Amino acid sequence: MQTQQENGQLKRTMKTRHLIMLSLGGVIGTGLFFNTGYIISTTGAAGTLLAYLIGALVVWLVMQCLGELSVAMPETGAFHVYAARYLGPATGYTVAWLYWLTWTVALGSSFTAAGFCMQYWFPQVPVWAWCVVFCAVIFGLNVISTRFFAEGEFWFSLIKVITIIAFIILGGAAIFGFIPMQDGSPAPGLTNITSEGWFPHGGLPILMTMVAVNFAFSGTELIGIAAGETENPHKVIPVAIRTTIARLIIFFIGTVFVLAALIPMQQAGVEKSPFVLVFEKVGIPYAADIFNFVILTAILSAANSGLYASGRMLWSLSNEKTLPRCFARVNKNGVPLTALSVSMLGGVLALFSSVVAPDTVFVALSAISGFAVVAVWISICASHFVFRRRHVQSGQPLSALQYRAPWYPLVPVLGFVLCVVACVGLAFDPSQRIALYCGIPFVALCYGAYYLTRNLTTQEPEHVAE
């Protein structure tokens, strides 16, 4: 009990800078650093820019919905609590598990990406060996202590943001010839963006890659979770949402423009970060090595956050008595060891993927994680739609809401539709279709498990509250 209170104190003192940087840090990770290469190779340069612009619109829509919900009901557990209240307890339970799946599978793709980074320096060492090392390091960091978690992640996130800004500036200079290319070739200008035509494979690949784009943007919803335990949510959340989304659009669109301009479509992929690929081409000594190191730390930071978030989600479910009580037990350091251990399943998936086929299974893991987060976003839009309707039906004035999403009901409906369309797009991409094969049965399993566990728990004698 003391641990819970101490954790609560730590989270209640979280400032706006922590909230903004934690959200940015959660977003700027494996999706941007590696998936962008896959998207460029699939859709072409212009198609990638369009896909990311659509992704930015979806994020804005979802965050407007989440902002209104979070200010009106700043609760720990955020969107799975809202889903349980407005869409039904079984849906809330399923959303919690989907969010757990988002982060634990993202662990797998993060460890695999970290292995790719290490192969840049040690090509003879297999990816799976690095996955073992990083699994042990991240698990150890989470088990030892979470005391300085928010402050530590703030500084990790700051490194990522500085890296992105430097990349856009230096990459832009290389595009227009202010920095020479490594091989002495002339500055590419906009040649790589226009050489293959605007949409070399048509419009379908843009639809196919929307979940990969949404996976790159995943993490923005952390504002809802963190703000639920912030002192002044009605002041902090609007600032955090506006600042985060504005910076994301600048960072992502600016970054994708630089990548698309400097990397020919045929050379893009996931086995090497497109960021490193760019600085191998640019004539700046050791730039590729420096960026590879920064990307490595950024990916491990995202993995650290991922394990923390997924472990806490299991703890939350157990605390609500929808999982066995063992998941809610904490060790002497206040760490839910059982929940963390089960969540480390994503790391095991990484070991499997890195042994079998790192490049192809990496895309599959990202697609599964992307499907899960898009499903969570769908629940946020639906919850907001029902919340506003009930608020009006109860006779309360709209002025009672301290933060209102604009253009209701267009915002939640359009957000819902675009998220559903992104999931449909997975069916057209053989390399990502596994996300539907895994995701849809997982949702069905969660609903079935909820009703089963509810029946079992209602038959058990109720525990006395401590």
Side-chain angles (χ1 to χ4, degrees), residues 16 19 71 230-240 242 402:
T16 307
L19 195 60
V71 172
T230 305
E231 253 180 63
N232 299 306
H234 64 283
K235 293 181 180 178
V236 171
I237 292 174
V239 173
R242 283 194 299 269
Q402 293 180 297

Side-chain angles (χ1 to χ4, degrees), residues 377-444:
W377 289 359
I378 288 172
S379 78
I380 292 171
C381 295
S383 298
H384 172 247
F385 180 82
V386 177
F387 164 75
R388 177 73 77 88
R389 282 188 62 189
R390 290 189 186 173
H391 180 84
V392 173
Q393 289 169 355
S394 67
Q396 299 180 67
L398 288 179
S399 58
L401 297 173
Q402 293 180 297
Y403 182 87
R404 292 196 300 274
W407 307 315
Y408 179 89
L410 177 62
V411 164
V413 170
L414 184 58
F416 184 95
V417 170
L418 288 176
C419 287
V420 171
V421 169
C423 291
V424 171
L426 289 172
F428 296 94
D429 187 353
S431 63
Q432 295 189 93
R433 204 173 289 153
I434 187 174
L436 294 178
Y437 297 151
C438 296
I440 293 174
F442 184 82
V443 170

